Amino acid sequence: MHVAVAVSGRGSNLDALLRTLGPDAPARVVVVLSDRPTAPALTRAAERGIPTAAFRDPSDHREWLEALERHAVDLVVLAGYLRLVPSGVIARYRDRIINVHPALLPAFGGKGMYGRRVHEAVLASGARESGATVHLVDEAYDRGTILGQARVPVLPGDDPARLAARVLEAEHRLLPAAVLAAAAAGRPVPVHESVESHQ
Ligand code: GRF
């Protein structure tokens, strides 16, 4: 399965995915896309010899489709990608785009809910647990069918940074598991947290 990964920042989820997808894995990252030419994740991909593309206009579905078709992409993974996917891309790749969100959707999701703000909201709510969600992507932020979740406890003394780090570990397990499950089934399917590495 040919996988495109869209990033906006440091790319720790991309790293976790690349670590899981060894040479005999049923899925391969064939291109890394970003809305930010300076995203560290792009550098990480280029250092591994993976083709990259920084959009001139991330809202232009034609730029997306040109890159996805050029690399015969089967699955699009949003990993720390912070913009909406153009509706023209959703239409052509419906049910083949997944996103990882650092909270237990449907709570604590939606426009503007990313990064530190998510964990601040979880802590402010008094929730006893948080976690990561992988879901199908549609035209809105964080709304598509949930494919799987990995739960972590909220602990006494947690601040946003400590909770973020605990949730990020869960993301790094859940997203690769979701990609492996999609590769085995030929399309995104419900996923459970246990993941075996394909190194
Ligand atoms: C992660 O918390 C991810 O869930 C969110 O963006 C954050 C950064 O991810 N969407 P990464 O380190 O750039 O993969």
Side-chain angles (χ1 to χ4, degrees), residues 26-113:
R28 183 161 59 89
V29 176
V30 295
V31 62
V32 176
L33 308 170
S34 183
D35 57 323
R36 298 184 183 170
T38 58
L42 281 187
T43 310
R44 283 170 129 141
E47 283 165 359
R48 286 182 171 83
I50 300 172
T52 63
F55 298 124
R56 281 185 308 282
D57 174 1
S59 66
D60 179 354
H61 67 283
R62 291 164 306 180
E63 280 197 61
W64 279 80
L65 295 181
E66 193 276 326
L68 296 176
E69 285 157 12
R70 177 151 29 100
H71 295 280
V73 168
D74 305 300
L75 176 72
V76 181
V77 174
L78 308 186
Y81 186 72
L82 297 182
R83 291 173 185 261
L84 279 177
V85 176
S87 54
V89 177
I90 303 285
R92 284 283 302 280
Y93 287 84
R94 190 167 298 284
D95 298 340
R96 291 191 288 152
I97 309 174
I98 65 174
N99 178 49
V100 59
H101 181 75
L104 296 176
L105 294 177
F108 307 112
K111 187 168 171 53
M113 284 302 274

